[in-house]
Amino acid sequence: MRLNALFDSLPVTVFERMSALARDAGAINLGQGFPDGPEPVDLLEAAARALSARSNQYPPSRGLPELRAAAADFYHRFDGLALKAENLVVTSGATEALAAALMAAITPGDEVIVIEPAYDAYRPLIERAGGVVRSVTLAPPAWRLTLEALEAAVTARTRVLVFNNPLNPAGRAFDQDEVEAVAAICRRHDLVAVSDEVWERLVYDGGRHISLSSVSGMFERTLKIGSAGKLFGLTGWKVGLIVGGGDLLEAAAKAHQYIAFSTPPHLQAAVAEGLAWASSRFAEQATALARSRDLLAARLAAEGFEALPSQATYFLCVDLKASGVDEGAATFADRAVIEHGVAGIPVSAFMTGDLGDSVLRLCFAKPDELLVEAARRLGQARLSGIAR
Ligand code: PMP
Ligand code: GLN
């Protein structure tokens, strides 16, 4: 029996592995990114109502009309995009949106630019679609993206660029110059952009999310991806969105027809209600998360950790080397979860080179008492790391 060599050789994802270790050890899980706190009751009730009162049969492949209309309004409000419902495709999570977008854009042999650190799903999906990954590597602590670095990665075979803004795991919301640089490269070399913007509403400290789709000349060549999981802190819902137009979006919609075809209708109905939330409610969510970030950062500093800046997402990274720990983040993470009861994600899982080797990602979307206790335990793991 011969299996596909790519998937046969892949390990269980780092998120699945660390969550399993955390469950086995009864550890605090600051690994896989999910919030552990109050969930938006209005949306849970909306989903429950839809489950009993509405159809549980296949919804349209491109999504419930009310969700597509709500998403069009939402992205007009936040990104200034002039959209119709036809510009939206609902998917089963951003992961499926990525799969559909990459399948639609890539012809076998195409080179695809990926910016590292890169979310774990990009490479296998690109390679399974026949693409060849060309990495542009960002360096901590600034994780800054330059036009020169992007330009250096382009060859005559480059067709697609995958952009993740805000960037998981670095917690960076790229600034105007960086987003313009991505746009300039795409326009100059006629590339399709797959812009993974799932963290778009979780930008802190007065920072601003700049959607690649909103930059001049980019809408028609960009598939912008969103996730209700991140917008509403309901990661298990797996409702994703693709925003785009023309043949590009049509091709992604066709790919979606043969991956998931459609997405549970009651969740779609609830997400449509959520997208109509007042802007202030999205801002309040971000403010609460920034507070959690600050609490974790302060407690980690008191334990002797050196944290990197985090401006967005659920994640704060610590530099173990700068914190005095002479041990790779992957080794530290295993020891921390098994011996000290707290899980994190080594950033080496997002990078092919060694730049992330001493960086550990921690999810701060947790109640205060868990963050305080996790920092205390990480402090113990640090001390035992220094002692050995
Ligand atoms: N892209 C990025 C950058 C992510 O961080 C995540 C999950 N955190 C996803 C995609 C997947 O989103 P979903 O759960 O909606 O599939
Ligand atoms: N996106 C989540 C994270 O970065 C994990 C999603 C998953 O487990 N596949 O933690």
Side-chain angles (χ1 to χ4, degrees):
M1 190 170 63
R2 189 170 64 86
L3 303 179
N4 172 259
L6 169 67
F7 285 115
D8 195 28
S9 68
L10 285 175
V12 169
T13 81
V14 67
F15 307 114
E16 186 72 6
R17 179 169 174 277
M18 292 312 295
S19 281
L21 284 173
R23 273 193 299 273
D24 290 350
I28 298 173
N29 191 352
L30 306 191
Q32 193 174 35
F34 61 90
D36 186 351
E39 292 173 346
V41 175
D42 53 332
L43 301 192
L44 306 187
E45 286 173 359
R49 267 197 320 275
L51 190 65
S52 47
R54 295 176 51 159
S55 169
N56 283 280
Q57 309 308 328
Y58 296 127
S61 175
R62 291 175 75 131
L64 289 188
E66 70 201 77
L67 174 53
R68 297 168 70 207
D73 289 349
F74 176 83
Y75 287 121
H76 179 253
R77 173 161 45 132
F78 285 108
D79 295 330
L81 300 175
L83 302 173
K84 298 197 170 79
E86 293 75 59
N87 295 114
L88 272 300
V89 173
V90 179
T91 59
S92 291
T95 310
E96 198 235 332
L98 283 164
L102 293 167
M103 282 173 71
I106 294 171
T107 300
D110 287 353
E111 288 186 9
V112 180
I113 296 180
V114 168
I115 297 158
E116 293 190 10
Y119 188 58
D120 70 336
Y122 300 159
R123 180 180 287 268
L125 291 174
I126 291 165
E127 291 182 349
R128 197 64 181 95
V132 178
V133 173
R134 296 274 300 195
S135 299
V136 170
T137 306
L138 309 186
W143 309 106
R144 200 165 172 80
L145 181 60
T146 65
L147 182 67
E148 295 69 35
L150 289 168
E151 186 67 73
V154 177
T155 74
R157 288 166 51 183
T158 311
R159 294 285 175 272
V160 180
L161 182 150
V162 180
F163 189 41
N164 176 209
N165 179 32
L167 180 64
N168 174 10
R172 271 219 69 203
F174 289 104
D175 66 24
Q176 187 87 42
D177 287 349
E178 293 167 299
V179 178
E180 292 282 356
V182 171
I185 291 291
C186 292
R187 288 188 308 247
R188 191 179 299 163
H189 300 285
D190 196 21
L191 308 184
V192 167
V194 175
S195 192
D196 178 345
E197 301 181 15
V198 301
W199 300 100
E200 57 200 336
R201 296 271 59 80
L202 300 180
V203 179
Y204 313 125
D205 311 324
R208 196 162 70 89
H209 170 66
I210 305 167
S211 175
L212 189 62
S213 297
S214 71
V215 177
S216 142
M218 286 307 292
F219 184 79
E220 50 273 33
R221 58 175 69 252
T222 302
L223 293 170
K224 169 185 157 94
I225 290 174
S227 169
K230 305 300 171 329
L231 290 171
F232 307 112
L234 296 165
T235 62
W237 277 23
K238 301 295 286 188
V239 178
L241 295 162
I242 309 179
V243 187
D247 291 347
L248 180 58
L249 185 70
E250 292 311 306
K254 284 176 193 156
H256 160 71
Q257 288 188 123
Y258 302 115
I259 308 176
F261 181 75
S262 62
T263 298
H266 29 86
L267 299 179
Q268 292 194 50
V271 169
E273 286 196 22
L275 292 177
W277 279 1
S279 302
S280 56
R281 191 151 168 206
F282 289 102
E284 280 157 23
Q285 287 194 138
T287 305
L289 282 163
R291 236 200 86 263
S292 300
R293 174 203 59 186
D294 292 344
L295 173 66
L296 181 63
R299 293 300 175 125
L300 289 171
E303 297 290 344
F305 283 101
E306 190 73 41
L308 304 181
S310 161
Q311 208 196 338
T313 74
Y314 292 156
F315 310 116
L316 178 72
C317 290
V318 290
D319 183 335
L320 294 175
K321 200 164 184 190
S323 311
V325 182
D326 193 17
E327 181 178 50
T331 314
F332 181 90
D334 278 1
R335 221 165 44 69
V337 67
I338 295 164
E339 294 172 23
H340 298 278
V342 52
I345 300 286
V347 167
S348 47
F350 297 76
M351 306 191 80
T352 45
D354 56 11
L355 279 172
D357 282 4
S358 85
V359 185
L360 184 72
R361 191 195 81 170
L362 300 167
C363 174
F364 54 72
K366 307 287 162 183
D368 289 359
E369 59 280 12
L370 278 191
L371 294 175
V372 168
E373 177 58 15
R376 193 187 67 77
R377 294 183 191 183
L378 285 165
Q380 291 174 344
R382 172 178 172 272
L383 290 178
S384 62
I386 289 173
R388 56 185 69 203

